């Protein structure tokens, strides 16, 4: 089973593209909206050093931005 967490905001078009991509592939994921959860936003910055979204954690590997090929490379 893959573990995918996608960090998003309300207005990010690339976040929507990433979620649509995952949905189209039938991949389950957890969404964390950092615009609504400032504590999660700070944890994300602490973990990656990056403030931008989308950021995804795919089976323990960080993917910055909308990068379908990299996401797919980390799947089991």
């Amino acid at each position: 089973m893959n573990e995918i967490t996608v960090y998003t905001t309300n207005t990010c078009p690339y976040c929507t593209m990433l979620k649509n991509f995952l949905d189209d592939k039938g991949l389950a994921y957890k969404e964390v909206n950092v615009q609504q959860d400032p504590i999660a936003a700070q944890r994300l910055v602490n973990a990656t050093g990056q403030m931008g979204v989308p950021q995804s954690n795919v089976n323990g590997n960080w993917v910055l931005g909308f990068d379908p090929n990299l996401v797919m490379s980390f799947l089991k």
Side-chain angles (χ1 to χ4, degrees):
M1 184 76 181
N2 291 296
E3 288 188 34
I4 305 170
T5 304
V6 180
Y7 295 85
T8 66
T9 62
N10 296 333
T11 57
C12 167
Y14 293 102
C15 299
T16 301
M17 290 169 60
L18 180 58
K19 292 185 293 182
N20 288 340
F21 170 78
L22 294 171
D23 289 339
D24 289 347
K25 294 291 183 187
L27 296 167
Y29 59 92
K30 176 184 172 188
E31 180 178 1
V32 178
N33 187 315
V34 297
Q35 190 170 346
Q36 297 173 345
D37 187 345
I39 294 169
Q42 188 57 55
R43 281 196 315 263
L44 182 63
V45 171
N46 291 346
T48 67
Q50 301 289 326
M51 293 179 65
V53 288
Q55 291 189 56
S56 305
N57 191 299
V58 182
N59 295 321
N61 301 284
W62 286 103
V63 178
L64 199 52
F66 177 64
D67 191 338
N69 292 329
L70 191 56
V71 168
M72 294 302 287
S73 75
F74 291 133
L75 296 178
K76 295 176 184 172

